[in-house]
Amino acid sequence: MQYTVAQPVDTLIQGAKVFDGLGNEARTCDVAIKGDRIVAIGELTSLLANEVIDAKGLCLAPGFIDVHTHDDLEVLRNPNMAAKISQGVTTVITGNCGISAAPAIVKGCARSDELTWRSQ
């Protein structure tokens, strides 16, 4: 990927061992982020950035999918799912083992007025 805009990127992660999620061997490189997008991957030490993260000795990977959870109610109670995000999990699959919260409306949920199984 090439990023040639003269404006700085938001975040530059330098020297991480990058796993691309495609099954390729990990490689040590830099990753540039602007907004919510990765805009460049490679040797980017000359790129201007608002924030630089030294990731030497650390691994960087796309989000992980937790395919067997019992988070059906947790995702409604705590939609930011901090316990999962802090472990690198970006997607959870619910409804396992024949258990589901649907149809449910959780009182006190930030979006409880919008969450019904019929509206989803």
Side-chain angles (χ1 to χ4, degrees):
M1 287 184 188
Q2 288 291 326
Y3 186 75
T4 57
V5 177
Q7 293 178 331
V9 295
D10 296 327
T11 305
L12 179 60
I13 303 170
Q14 293 183 322
K17 184 175 184 179
V18 175
F19 293 84
D20 65 11
L22 299 173
N24 298 317
E25 289 292 320
R27 64 184 178 123
T28 300
C29 59
D30 307 326
V31 177
I33 302 166
K34 181 90 172 164
D36 64 353
R37 302 280 182 203
I38 294 172
V39 295
I41 300 173
E43 164 52 50
L44 306 173
T45 53
S46 62
L47 200 60
L48 297 175
N50 294 326
E51 177 184 18
V52 176
I53 298 172
D54 180 5
K56 289 179 186 75
L58 301 175
C59 296
L60 185 62
F64 297 102
I65 300 170
D66 190 343
V67 297
H68 192 107
T69 72
H70 293 276
D71 292 327
D72 303 66
L73 291 176
E74 189 62 21
V75 74
L76 298 174
R77 283 184 287 218
N78 297 302
N80 67 355
M81 296 293 287
K84 296 290 183 171
I85 294 294
S86 66
Q87 299 176 64
V89 175
T90 58
T91 304
V92 296
I93 298 173
T94 61
N96 292 302
C97 301
I99 301 168
S100 177
I105 298 175
V106 179
K107 302 257 188 248
C109 179
R111 296 179 25 191
S112 65
D113 61 324
E114 300 170 8
L115 292 176
T116 66
W117 69 278
R118 294 181 200 279
S119 67
Q120 300 302 315

